[in-house]
Amino acid sequence: MKSDEFIVGVDVGGTKILSVVVNNEFEIVSRCRKKTKGWVKDTNPENKIIQTIEESVEQAGNPKIVGIGIGAPGPVDPKNGIVINTPNLGWENFPIADILSKHFAVPVVLDNDVNLGTYAEWLLGKNKEAKHVVGVFPGTGIGGGLIVNRKIVHGASGGAGEVGHITLQIDGPLCGCGKRGCLEALASRIAITREIAALILRGESTYLTDKVGTDVSKIRSSVIADAIDHGEKKVEDIVRKAAYLTGVAIANLINIMSPELVILGGGLIEALGKIYQEEIQRAVKEHAMPFLRKKVSIEIGKLGDDAVALGAALLCAKKNDKL
Amino acid sequence: MKSDEFIVGVDVGGTKILSVVVNNEFEIVSRCRKKTKGWVKDTNPENKIIQTIEESVEQAGNPKIVGIGIGAPGPVDPKNGIVINTPNLGWENFPIADILSKHFAVPVVLDNDVNLGTYAEWLLGKNKEAKHVVGVFPGTGIGGGLIVNRKIVHGASGGAGEVGHITLQIDGPLCGCGKRGCLEALASRIAITREIAALILRGESTYLTDKVGTDVSKIRSSVIADAIDHGEKKVEDIVRKAAYLTGVAIANLINIMSPELVILGGGLIEALGKIYQEEIQRAVKEHAMPFLRKKVSIEIGKLGDDAVALGAALLCAKKNDKL
């Protein structure tokens, strides 16, 4: 990429669209974020995406845009730029890359959001020489991204990397996906909140009862972190258990994929990174094969909410041979 | 490959060496198998391999050999043809490809034995168009091979695909690897035999008590199959449980890799294929994500003991651009 060339990276989610414009060093020069609950059910949902992109480009001073990258939840067909299916967005076989490419007259690449988050944390992190990378992003769900031989893995369905649905407990609690004992059912923020709700109802967390009462929707990652800082040991135990189980799933990924790099990201990690690091390291020690785990570095992502949009921009640059 | 060109495929194990010569259609034209317990501790273990290869080539009528492929247990460095580490064989950083290449003056390729078994069952099976393949081989241990985008996955350590060491039960029984609750500790032939031994000691399997007494070393896969054919329901339950757990591990692999094809092979599958197919299908239905599992075909390998040697020959042909 030349110094007068810019790329747009877009992160499309169920309740927000984030568009960033990056320069040839992948620094963000402008950012437009729209909270748009319900927009995906519009007749032409692409209009909101186009509007967000246009605003971010305007904010950047209308530079020369040489490509657009876009990240969306759910399985994708990256070759044809089609979102196959997103329960969150309600799209099916939505040819978003083609639509945007016609509108903006530049190349558009598409990939899954978690894949792109992993991609950005890898290539913009200190371990970009790694060839095999696993990204794990615990939050409301638990997403995963896989890189093998420096390429994103999509698998036959376009939806490889369903790390949250690794079975860890065969007769375990029901998961949102309908199966039992998935990592997500045991260790997502919803699973953690479920356990904390019981603490509150039993009167075992004074701090949280004071802070959120019995409104479980208020138990955000930051509130959980505050409770632990205030010495709530039972809350800490719940988080440690979830982090450990996330670590067992990561150990399984290490046994299967043998990566050099595991990247952790997402809201829970940002708020509770130290506990997650400790418990994941413990679980990996107990459940990954020694000759596989000694090759692995486990790192916390640094890009926060920009990771997906930056990954989209990076992938676009790579596909355009501009990286 | 021309019709007068032949390739040698070698399967090196702890107690045997198998060398086959294949023609340009990958039909086996000769086969030499040596049982050689303890041979790997020879000062020059390559001599036994060379001897076995030479005998197989002689048996084939000394045709023109254009390459040799070799499969060995444990992690490998396929680029440099080095066996990194094989607890079974006692080798460490053994440059087998280089040694054989110098001796025979032909290109030699090396890969892990289970990877090559998967490779052969895939490319010589009916589903060779698949791009993403998982091979699972239950036996004394439970080995795995992964193909992503038509390439064998080695990972950072050279030892990716440790399917037998996926944790399925966090506080489960001890595994040979030192961890707890690995698939192998729950569902290998050793694990099945352990459970059957208890049946025998409790006097709950008349058939097996008659057949093997209390000598557990005699409980081979075929004996187990016979017991089930004779209506021993408790033996069948033990096998079904192991097969189901193998299926849960396969479901996890489907959730992670999203393959089109899962290949099952090895002694237990050969003897007890129907039960394994049923239980694995049930486990996959219960533990793999619907949109991932509907893309997958689960098949039983057809190549038996020749799979690894054939895979070695195929990989050699491919690396020589002769496939």
Side-chain angles (χ1 to χ4, degrees):
Chain A
M1 260 166 92
K2 295 176 197 149
S3 64
D4 66 338
E5 291 180 337
F6 292 76
I7 286 183
V8 176
V10 189
D11 177 4
V12 174
T15 57
K16 64 107 183 37
I17 305 169
L18 169 67
S19 175
V20 303
V21 176
V22 303
N23 64 17
N24 66 337
E25 292 186 338
F26 295 95
E27 293 160 342
I28 293 175
V29 298
S30 76
R31 182 189 274 108
C32 177
R33 186 185 166 105
K34 288 191 183 295
K35 282 220 171 192
T36 48
K37 206 160 186 167
W39 68 279
V40 291
K41 284 173 188 141
D42 292 357
T43 318
N44 295 99
E46 66 269 23
N47 289 345
K48 279 271 181 7
I49 300 175
I50 289 170
Q51 196 190 333
T52 314
I53 292 172
E54 284 177 344
E55 284 185 32
S56 68
V57 174
E58 253 174 60
Q59 277 176 40
N62 291 305
K64 181 182 174 189
I65 301 295
V66 295
I68 298 170
I70 183 159
V76 296
D77 170 355
K79 203 173 155 196
N80 297 302
I82 291 169
V83 179
I84 297 173
N85 183 291
T86 57
N88 283 351
L89 304 189
W91 293 345
E92 237 176 273
N93 294 318
F94 185 52
I96 183 68
D98 211 36
I99 291 170
L100 294 182
S101 182
K102 275 181 187 143
H103 183 90
F104 288 102
V106 293
V108 177
V109 305
L110 166 75
D111 213 305
N112 167 271
D113 52 3
V114 186
N115 289 349
L116 292 173
T118 303
Y119 196 72
E121 296 286 6
W122 165 48
L123 287 179
L124 299 177
K126 64 181 178 186
N127 224 326
K128 64 185 171 194
E129 302 309 319
K131 288 168 105 175
H132 311 282
V133 183
V134 169
V136 178
F137 293 77
T140 310
I142 299 181
L146 309 179
I147 315 277
V148 168
N149 286 322
R150 302 188 69 83
K151 283 191 184 148
I152 294 172
V153 176
H154 298 97
S157 64
E162 283 287 2
V163 168
H165 300 284
I166 293 176
T167 301
L168 286 186
Q169 191 183 328
I170 288 166
D171 296 312
L174 260 178
C175 182
C177 76
K179 310 194 295 111
R180 281 193 177 276
C182 299
L183 172 63
E184 207 166 287
L186 297 164
S188 67
R189 193 172 50 226
I190 290 175
I192 291 172
T193 304
R194 177 190 66 202
E195 299 303 314
I196 291 178
L199 279 192
I200 292 174
L201 290 170
R202 289 198 299 265
E204 292 178 352
S205 171
T206 339
Y207 180 85
L208 285 174
T209 304
D210 285 357
K211 275 277 171 187
V212 306
T214 53
D215 182 354
V216 290
S217 73
K218 290 186 183 157
I219 305 176
R220 309 296 304 168
S221 302
S222 55
V223 176
I224 297 170
D226 288 345
I228 294 171
D229 284 346
H230 280 78
E232 296 260 354
K233 285 289 169 213
K234 289 191 177 173
V235 175
E236 183 173 336
D237 286 349
I238 289 169
V239 172
R240 285 198 179 271
K241 180 87 186 286
Y244 181 81
L245 290 167
T246 306
V248 175
I250 289 171
N252 282 343
L253 289 163
I254 292 170
N255 291 329
I256 294 166
M257 315 290 301
S258 186
E260 291 105 330
L261 175 61
V262 174
I263 292 163
L264 308 170
L268 280 167
I269 301 285
E270 276 162 39
L272 298 153
K274 191 168 162 284
I275 288 177
Y276 267 85
Q277 272 278 22
E278 285 172 13
E279 293 297 322
I280 288 171
Q281 292 286 4
R282 185 165 72 90
V284 165
K285 193 168 174 210
E286 287 174 6
H287 292 285
M289 300 283 284
F291 79 98
L292 299 174
R293 77 169 185 258
K294 73 183 176 190
K295 296 275 178 184
V296 185
S297 163
I298 298 175
E299 285 169 21
I300 289 181
K302 306 289 179 207
L303 302 173
D305 288 344
D306 293 329
V308 175
L310 281 168
L314 280 160
L315 187 69
C316 178
K318 197 190 170 200
K319 290 252 169 103
N320 288 355
D321 283 316
K322 304 235 176 201
L323 187 62
Chain B
M1 258 165 95
K2 296 177 198 150
S3 62
D4 66 338
E5 292 180 336
F6 292 75
I7 286 182
V8 176
V10 189
D11 177 5
V12 175
T15 57
K16 65 108 185 34
I17 306 168
L18 170 67
S19 174
V20 302
V21 176
V22 303
N23 63 19
N24 66 336
E25 294 186 336
F26 295 96
E27 293 158 343
I28 293 174
V29 299
S30 76
R31 183 189 273 108
C32 178
R33 187 184 166 104
K34 288 193 184 293
K35 283 220 172 193
T36 48
K37 206 160 186 166
W39 68 278
V40 291
K41 285 174 188 141
D42 291 358
T43 318
N44 296 98
E46 66 269 22
N47 289 345
K48 279 269 180 5
I49 301 176
I50 289 170
Q51 194 190 333
T52 314
I53 293 172
E54 284 176 343
E55 284 186 32
S56 68
V57 174
E58 253 174 60
Q59 275 175 41
N62 291 305
K64 181 182 172 190
I65 301 296
V66 296
I68 297 171
I70 183 158
V76 296
D77 171 354
K79 203 174 155 194
N80 297 304
I82 292 169
V83 179
I84 297 175
N85 183 290
T86 57
N88 283 350
L89 304 189
W91 292 345
E92 237 176 273
N93 295 318
F94 186 53
I96 182 69
D98 211 36
I99 292 170
L100 294 182
S101 181
K102 275 182 187 142
H103 183 91
F104 289 102
V106 294
V108 177
V109 304
L110 165 76
D111 213 306
N112 167 271
D113 52 3
V114 185
N115 289 349
L116 292 173
T118 304
Y119 196 72
E121 296 286 7
W122 165 48
L123 287 179
L124 300 177
K126 64 181 179 186
N127 223 326
K128 65 184 170 195
E129 303 308 320
K131 287 167 104 175
H132 311 283
V133 183
V134 168
V136 178
F137 293 76
T140 310
I142 300 182
L146 309 179
I147 314 277
V148 168
N149 286 322
R150 303 188 69 82
K151 285 191 182 147
I152 294 172
V153 176
H154 299 97
S157 64
E162 283 286 2
V163 169
H165 300 283
I166 293 176
T167 300
L168 287 185
Q169 192 183 326
I170 289 168
D171 296 313
L174 261 180
C175 182
C177 75
K179 310 195 296 114
R180 281 193 177 276
C182 298
L183 172 63
E184 207 166 285
L186 297 163
S188 66
R189 193 172 50 227
I190 289 175
I192 291 173
T193 303
R194 177 190 66 202
E195 299 304 313
I196 291 178
L199 278 192
I200 291 174
L201 290 170
R202 289 198 300 264
E204 292 179 352
S205 172
T206 340
Y207 180 85
L208 285 175
T209 304
D210 284 358
K211 277 278 171 185
V212 306
T214 51
D215 182 354
V216 291
S217 73
K218 290 186 183 158
I219 306 176
R220 309 295 304 167
S221 302
S222 55
V223 176
I224 297 170
D226 288 345
I228 294 171
D229 284 345
H230 280 79
E232 295 260 355
K233 285 289 169 213
K234 289 190 177 172
V235 175
E236 183 172 335
D237 286 348
I238 289 168
V239 172
R240 285 198 178 272
K241 180 86 186 289
Y244 181 81
L245 291 167
T246 306
V248 175
I250 290 172
N252 282 344
L253 289 164
I254 292 171
N255 291 330
I256 294 165
M257 314 291 301
S258 187
E260 291 104 329
L261 175 61
V262 174
I263 291 163
L264 308 170
L268 280 166
I269 301 284
E270 276 162 40
L272 298 152
K274 192 167 162 285
I275 288 177
Y276 266 85
Q277 271 279 20
E278 285 172 13
E279 292 297 323
I280 287 171
Q281 291 287 3
R282 185 164 74 89
V284 165
K285 193 167 174 212
E286 288 174 6
H287 292 285
M289 300 284 283
F291 80 97
L292 299 174
R293 77 169 185 258
K294 73 183 177 190
K295 297 276 178 184
V296 185
S297 164
I298 299 174
E299 286 168 22
I300 290 181
K302 307 289 179 207
L303 303 173
D305 288 344
D306 294 329
V308 175
L310 281 168
L314 279 160
L315 187 70
C316 178
K318 198 191 169 200
K319 290 253 169 103
N320 287 355
D321 282 317
K322 305 236 176 200
L323 186 63

